[in-house]
Amino acid sequence: MKKMNVVQKILSKHLVEGDPAVDSEIGIRIDQTLTQDATGTMAYLQFESMGVKHVKNDLAVSYVDHNTVQIGFENADDHDFLASIAKKYGIVYSKAGNGICHQLHLERFGKPGTTLLGSDSHTPTGGGIGQIAIGAGGIDIAVAMAGGAFHIPTPKVRAIVLKGKLRKGVSAKDVILKVLEKFGTKGNVGWIFEYTGPGVATLDVPSRATITNMGAELGVTTSVFPSDRVTKQFLAAQGRGKDFTEIVADKGATYDDTFVVDLAKLEPLAAAPHSPGNIVTVKSMKGTKVNQIMIGSCTNSSYRDIRTVAQILKGKHVAEDVEVGIACGSRQVVNMLAADGSLAILIKAGCRILENACGFCIGAHMSPSTNAVSLRTNNRNFEGRSGTKSAQVYLVSPETAAASALTGTFSACAGAKAVPAPKKFPIDDEMFLYRKTAGRGVPGTKIVRGPNIATVPKGVPLAKDLKGACAIKVGDKITTDHIMPAGARLKFRSNVPQYAKFVFEPCDPKFHDICMANKEKGLANVIVAGESYGQGSSREHAALCPMYLGVKAVVAKSIERIHRANLINFGIVPFTFVNAKDYDLVKAGDVLTIDGIRKAVEADGTATLKVGSKSIAVKTSLSDREKHLILCGGLLASL
Ligand code: MIC
Ligand code: SF4
């Protein structure tokens, strides 16, 4: 029998379309889905328009964790809408205040050996318990809830072999920062990273989940750990022993590539501004003044993490000129910290205790002051994401964050007492509503639609020729935070015409007006970009809102996986330059044409972009399924 790695074991059981040996794209069955409120409203509006009676997959959970600030009616309207949709269609609804989707899903629902699709790029957190957990756009989640397959590029699997044991003061965050140092934030499209080797057994589930969570920053499809004795113990302690299945790679299983990390040799690391792949040692930053420390987010907000911080701060006070904010991952975590005295330690030490929500991570709370140095345990430090453009954000472990909070300068932690894996977690599922009607729903439930809930725009079929203008030209590593800013703009997620006013706000606030003016002249809008366009989040609004503004094509040096899929789902052609140097030949405002664009999509994807007298070769390589979506004007239009 063929020796299989963990990825092959799980995917082979879920394969519904394509053959990994020959096809470049495969379709898999999705067991579980999750949404969060910022992407969820669109996902459910799209699901509604599919006319399905109730969800068809094993479990669908709708979390509210991103937009919980509720300044004005918009967020609250979204919550009411989401709750009513969940009740009607058989979705479990996690109320605001229950916690962050990825932490909660790991605690209460994730199952080894299953597939999970989430409308959030950090869904791979589930890889920490041996789940193939993938982030995608909301409409893909809607399709999966309706029982449809999800398509991924046939993966190449890289073994990250862990050996040795972490030293004191070094933790999971340093492991993933090391992997990011090696592989960077671009060029990993299509890969799945599988953690293996003797060092795996030394990492508890929260540590594994930190690593798979932040694997999203590599741009991989997902990351996964085996499901072993450590997983078994975690699930039993969550009262979910029956959800355990052992899944470990067969002896002799092969991989497409291997990278070895000696845990014993790792030292505290930080991701310096403004990319999670910009790695420095904490030692090299020693003594640098710090103004703010933020601890939490879905990457490092487990009981293990916050308890560690409390142990470091015990009996001490944070430096007088730093502000420290802590957001726990879930109510379970807060309850445990309250019960063991950690919460009192943190309050006494001068920390501000925030809601169990995304908050600061997405610039929706505690933005730093002008030019501040902010040390954070979350996963992204893109310029401006904190809500303050001039802030210098460094990503660090909870250990480094706590040690630096005490000194007010960059400091490595000399060592904190290890937090043993709890034997029994306190279980309280009361803030998960509609569990009893999960899967069936309550037909006849009235959907609550406040004025912030707009309709979903539909695309139109791709025209024969493209006559347009370059509405913007951007550089390398443009993230979805650049394209569709969150923070103060997040509350317009359910209202595309309103949200579309802020497309590319950080790069060119006039983008919306330029697009509208071109549209009026009958010109299509085209975005020209450098390497790794669309890094970061899964937010489909970064494609949906441009579609609404008449964007028909993106021409980039390279495009990241989730964003590329979102562009296709909304009928925007994702072209790349055949010769990357031709990027220099186009500028913003240029009038351009792609004659026969429709034919090019139908055929092999090669086309000529004409700018004045210059002819530039561009290409798009699409599966038959993707071609169909683009020709129809996107997924919704194809139904
Ligand atoms: C993020 O961390 O960027 C987000 C906000 O969670 C996004 C989802 C969104 O934009 O709503 C993500 O990671 O997919
Ligand atoms: Fe929320 Fe931040 Fe995690 Fe995104 S990365 S899900 S904003 S905590």
Side-chain angles (χ1 to χ4, degrees):
M1 240 194 13
K2 188 178 174 242
K3 309 279 180 218
M4 289 205 268
N5 57 43
V6 169
V7 174
Q8 289 164 335
K9 283 190 178 183
I10 302 175
L11 288 186
S12 61
K13 289 218 167 102
H14 289 83
L15 191 70
V16 288
E17 280 170 40
D19 174 355
V22 288
D23 295 317
S24 58
E25 180 180 91
I26 54 168
I28 55 171
R29 180 169 42 80
I30 295 300
D31 302 317
Q32 303 188 338
T33 53
L34 73 77
T35 56
Q36 41 89 341
D37 51 314
T39 53
T41 47
M42 265 312 138
Y44 294 115
L45 284 167
Q46 293 168 136
F47 178 75
E48 238 191 331
S49 71
M50 290 174 185
V52 183
K53 263 209 184 124
H54 54 73
V55 291
K56 300 273 172 62
N57 58 322
D58 295 352
L59 173 77
V61 190
S62 168
Y63 295 91
V64 176
D65 54 2
H66 280 62
N67 277 320
T68 59
V69 179
Q70 298 175 221
I71 301 174
F73 62 90
E74 292 90 345
N75 298 165
D77 275 9
D78 286 357
H79 303 173
D80 290 348
F81 168 76
L82 290 168
S84 59
I85 283 273
K87 186 170 179 189
K88 177 163 178 179
Y89 291 108
I91 298 153
V92 175
Y93 178 69
S94 172
K95 288 171 80 174
N98 201 22
I100 305 175
C101 57
H102 307 305
Q103 172 71 22
L104 284 169
H105 206 84
L106 192 77
E107 289 173 359
R108 305 305 306 141
F109 300 115
K111 272 192 204 172
T114 64
T115 52
L116 165 69
L117 193 69
S119 60
D120 192 282
S121 64
H122 292 104
T123 303
T125 311
I129 49 168
Q131 206 173 21
I132 291 288
I134 305 176
I139 197 163
D140 286 322
I141 286 49
V143 168
M145 288 188 297
F150 178 65
H151 299 85
I152 52 170
T154 300
K156 287 170 284 183
V157 185
R158 174 172 283 134
I160 306 288
V161 183
L162 304 180
K163 58 177 205 177
K165 195 171 182 309
L166 292 169
R167 289 177 297 146
K168 281 196 167 155
V170 186
S171 66
K173 182 65 138 239
D174 303 304
V175 179
I176 185 62
L177 291 178
K178 188 74 197 169
V179 176
L180 274 155
E181 181 185 62
K182 169 73 185 165
F183 295 103
T185 57
K186 62 185 183 77
N188 301 311
V189 174
W191 283 88
I192 296 184
F193 282 18
E194 179 175 323
Y195 289 81
T196 168
V200 164
T202 67
L203 298 176
D204 58 12
V205 165
S207 302
R208 296 175 182 190
T210 294
I211 295 170
T212 56
N213 170 294
M214 221 177 145
E217 276 43 77
L218 295 155
V220 295
T221 301
T222 190
S223 307
V224 67
F225 273 81
S227 169
D228 58 8
R229 280 171 52 193
V230 175
T231 325
K232 187 175 183 181
Q233 191 279 330
F234 174 82
L235 288 171
Q238 288 285 358
R240 302 204 288 125
K242 61 171 187 0
D243 288 346
F244 174 73
T245 328
E246 186 184 64
I247 306 165
V248 293
D250 291 330
K251 265 211 175 83
T254 55
Y255 295 87
D256 298 294
D257 188 36
T258 299
F259 176 62
V260 180
V261 178
D262 186 349
L263 298 176
K265 289 210 178 112
L266 286 186
E267 61 176 310
L269 298 172
H274 296 287
S275 168
N278 194 9
I279 308 300
V280 297
T281 61
V282 171
K283 201 166 53 194
S284 71
M285 298 297 300
K286 193 169 174 224
T288 306
K289 179 82 199 83
V290 169
N291 308 93
Q292 187 192 56
I293 314 261
M294 301 304 300
I295 298 169
S297 94
C298 59
T299 330
N300 277 111
S301 60
S302 64
Y303 171 71
R304 179 249 166 242
D305 290 328
I306 315 294
R307 172 76 183 145
T308 302
V309 171
Q311 289 186 160
I312 297 168
L313 300 187
K314 190 169 182 183
K316 302 185 178 129
H317 204 277
V318 305
E320 62 177 17
D321 48 359
V322 287
E323 60 171 359
V324 180
I326 300 188
C328 297
S330 67
R331 273 163 82 235
Q332 184 180 79
V333 173
V334 180
N335 276 330
M336 292 173 78
L337 296 169
D340 73 5
S342 302
L343 204 51
I345 296 172
L346 296 171
I347 294 169
K348 181 109 184 31
C351 303
R352 289 168 65 179
I353 307 297
L354 315 179
E355 190 179 14
N356 325 322
C358 299
F360 76 86
C361 172
I362 195 177
H365 200 175
M366 279 187 82
S367 295
S369 56
T370 306
N371 298 328
V373 172
S374 178
L375 260 57
R376 300 176 159 222
T377 67
N378 61 300
N379 43 35
R380 291 189 172 139
N381 59 344
F382 304 145
E383 188 176 10
R385 180 177 161 101
S386 66
T388 306
K389 191 152 195 247
S390 65
Q392 303 294 306
V393 177
Y394 291 80
L395 306 176
V396 297
S397 69
E399 287 81 349
T400 302
S404 306
L406 291 174
T407 58
T409 59
F410 254 93
S411 309
C413 169
K417 257 205 333 221
V419 178
K423 292 218 164 53
K424 199 163 172 22
F425 289 95
I427 291 148
D428 170 0
D429 288 336
E430 290 307 308
M431 283 178 82
F432 289 109
L433 308 189
Y434 317 132
R435 278 167 293 151
K436 289 209 179 96
T437 50
R440 291 180 277 121
V442 182
T445 303
K446 189 173 170 319
I447 304 300
V448 184
R449 281 176 227 273
N452 195 42
I453 312 289
T455 49
V456 199
K458 248 191 205 171
V460 292
L462 183 67
K464 190 168 145 271
D465 303 312
L466 179 144
K467 186 165 170 9
C470 171
I472 192 168
K473 181 178 178 183
V474 288
D476 292 343
K477 291 192 184 181
I478 287 296
T479 71
T480 49
D481 280 273
H482 291 104
I483 307 170
M484 215 47 274
R489 308 302 185 199
L490 201 57
K491 65 181 184 181
F492 299 123
R493 280 292 175 86
S494 317
N495 189 339
V496 171
Q498 183 60 23
Y499 200 30
K501 293 186 179 147
F502 307 108
V503 178
F504 279 117
E505 189 186 27
C507 305
D508 181 0
K510 292 193 299 302
F511 182 79
H512 168 269
D513 296 350
I514 293 172
C515 287
M516 287 315 224
N518 285 338
K519 246 180 121 174
E520 250 166 51
K521 284 187 234 154
L523 293 176
N525 289 300
V526 173
I527 295 167
V528 173
E531 294 284 5
S532 208
Y533 181 69
Q535 279 193 353
S537 99
S538 68
R539 67 192 68 151
E540 64 187 354
H541 295 78
L544 173 55
C545 292
M547 175 192 87
Y548 175 77
L549 296 179
V551 173
K552 300 287 181 203
V554 167
V555 186
K557 289 186 187 170
S558 61
I559 307 176
E560 290 298 307
R561 174 189 68 90
I562 305 182
H563 188 58
R564 178 184 171 279
N566 285 337
L567 289 173
I568 294 168
N569 281 344
F570 291 100
I572 299 175
V573 191
F575 282 117
T576 51
F577 291 100
V578 172
N579 303 306
K581 273 205 161 143
D582 289 347
Y583 167 85
D584 300 335
L585 301 179
V586 201
K587 57 180 189 329
D590 279 349
V591 169
L592 38 84
T593 54
I594 304 180
D595 289 338
I597 187 172
R598 193 174 168 93
K599 271 235 167 73
V601 166
E602 280 166 343
D604 65 350
T606 53
T608 306
L609 170 73
K610 285 208 173 124
V611 188
S613 60
K614 292 167 276 188
S615 291
I616 299 169
V618 295
K619 64 170 192 296
T620 179
S621 112
L622 301 163
S623 67
D624 288 345
R625 183 189 63 86
E626 292 171 330
K627 285 180 185 176
H628 175 67
L629 295 184
I630 291 193
L631 295 174
C632 293
L635 208 158
L636 265 194
S638 78
L639 297 176

